[in-house]
Amino acid sequence: MTQLKLGALCWNQYTDWPALRSAGVRADQLGYDSLWTWDHLYPIVGSHEGPIFEGWMTLAAWAKATERVRLGLMVGANPFRNPALVAKMATTLDHISGGRVTLGIGGAWFETEHAAFGFEFGSSPGERLRWLEEAVMIMRGMLHGERPSGTRHYAAREVRDDPLPVQERLPILVGGGGERRTLRIVAQYADANNVGGGIEAVRHKEEVLQRWCAEVGRDPAEIERTSGMGVTVIRDDPAEARRVFDRLFEQNGHARPWKPLLLGTPEQVAGEIRPYMELGYRHLTIGFPHPYDAETMERMITDVKPLVEAA
């Protein structure tokens, strides 16, 4: 039997703290393998003029409220913070949580929040990805007990991480499917990737990642494959699942519902997941917007997961 790992991505926008805290606790108690939130400072679904909680502080609070689930950002916005500081933050959170942290990081894309908060955004996606590559190199070195220095954009000089993380190798997950730079960064430095957009898009990105691994001399088996499945709603009546789905997006800044959809009965949802398992993507993240659909959170574990693993 091949094990399916499930992650709960609990949106930190258009919510209140008691509900967001409770969603994390519920994911832990139900047996989710990982628990994530966004690293954004303005909402990214629906109107950006709404409430949202900061990601690292959310993880710290979840670390004290949960017992076993892994914690991470899906994914960190690299331009928000100096990468040496991020490595230090991840290490501290690893100690707080007892060794349950994954350092998720990406190049960032939402210019509106960067401009509002005064963060450097760069002149192009390519420039931000050059920053990301240098940042991941610094983070990886620090987390390994080395003393890395910046090369172009960052001024870190022989920076050390003391104490080291609880985990012998605190994993770095790089999010994004950029074929010229992002997936090369995954091949060279990351312990896990994260791509989405549906099974055909993921299948294509996997082919590109395999080519980059061959080019840089990396064993692809060293990289955990993960994918975001979007917002999921499970009901015995598919029409009711669609109504709940539409209502969730309406309550999140009057957003337009996403596609592709992962809606319906447990059997239907399991059928959509199986091709990812066959491709080797066996850690799948399910999106849960406020008010955090408790029925779906539970049935992903109790109904869908056994169906997928049995097949």
Side-chain angles (χ1 to χ4, degrees):
M1 179 182 293
T2 302
Q3 183 182 11
L4 169 64
K5 295 171 69 175
L6 288 174
L9 172 56
C10 297
W11 295 9
N12 45 341
Q13 67 165 46
Y14 286 96
T15 186
D16 56 61
W17 173 244
L20 184 56
R21 180 188 184 279
S22 295
V25 171
R26 183 183 306 127
D28 184 53
Q29 293 174 343
L30 286 171
Y32 278 82
D33 297 279
S34 56
L35 174 61
W36 313 84
T37 198
W38 289 329
D39 192 22
H40 287 283
L41 303 172
Y42 279 177
I44 60 169
V45 180
S47 171
H48 70 271
E49 295 184 346
I52 190 168
F53 290 103
E54 196 277 328
W56 277 103
M57 295 297 289
T58 298
L59 295 182
W62 275 344
K64 297 303 293 180
T66 59
E67 296 181 355
R68 51 160 300 280
V69 70
R70 292 195 66 84
L71 304 165
L73 296 177
M74 188 59 75
V75 286
N78 183 58
F80 283 6
R81 307 169 189 87
N82 180 287
L85 176 61
V86 172
K88 192 68 173 174
M89 292 167 66
T91 297
T92 301
L93 185 60
D94 205 47
H95 283 263
I96 293 171
S97 66
R100 295 188 281 131
V101 172
T102 296
L103 198 170
I105 195 71
W109 58 270
F110 192 23
E111 185 173 6
T112 298
E113 62 188 351
H114 286 75
F117 281 83
F119 296 144
E120 190 176 9
F121 190 62
S123 60
S124 67
E127 183 174 26
R128 291 193 298 279
L129 290 173
R130 288 192 292 274
W131 298 349
L132 176 65
E133 183 170 9
E134 184 178 349
V136 175
M137 179 272 293
I138 293 170
M139 294 172 186
R140 181 78 283 162
M142 289 181 65
L143 295 173
H144 278 178
E146 302 165 5
R147 296 195 177 195
S149 297
T151 56
R152 294 178 61 185
H153 186 68
Y154 297 108
R157 291 292 177 267
E158 298 185 0
V159 58
R160 64 187 179 88
D161 192 19
D162 186 6
L164 289 174
V166 173
Q167 299 174 80
E168 183 175 350
R169 184 180 178 93
L170 192 156
I172 293 177
L173 179 150
V174 172
E179 297 179 18
R180 289 188 295 175
R181 283 191 175 271
T182 305
L183 293 176
R184 178 171 61 80
I185 295 170
V186 171
Q188 193 157 4
Y189 294 107
D191 301 286
N193 74 337
N194 186 262
V195 291
I199 185 60
E200 293 308 319
V202 173
R203 185 173 283 114
H204 173 68
K205 301 301 182 183
E206 172 64 16
E207 293 172 357
V208 176
L209 177 59
Q210 293 277 352
R211 291 200 296 269
W212 275 122
C213 285
E215 184 159 328
V216 304
R218 180 84 182 276
D219 181 357
E222 296 176 357
I223 302 168
E224 182 180 27
R225 310 303 207 278
T226 81
S227 183
M229 304 301 292
V231 175
T232 302
V233 178
I234 299 171
R235 294 293 188 274
D236 292 324
D237 177 5
E240 174 62 16
R242 180 65 202 230
R243 285 191 292 270
V244 172
F245 182 86
D246 290 342
R247 201 156 54 239
L248 287 171
F249 278 78
E250 175 64 24
Q251 293 170 342
N252 273 265
H254 306 287
R256 293 181 179 180
W258 285 354
K259 295 180 181 179
L261 308 179
L262 198 60
L263 309 175
T265 66
E267 291 77 14
Q268 289 172 321
V269 172
E272 294 293 325
I273 287 176
R274 287 184 189 114
Y276 291 86
M277 297 284 285
E278 294 165 1
L279 189 60
Y281 282 69
R282 294 166 183 158
H283 190 167
L284 305 179
T285 303
I286 310 301
F288 293 109
H290 182 266
Y292 312 114
D293 180 16
E295 180 173 345
T296 298
M297 289 188 79
E298 181 172 353
R299 297 187 75 176
M300 281 298 304
I301 297 291
T302 60
D303 297 355
V304 174
K305 184 177 181 180
L307 287 172
V308 173
E309 292 180 338

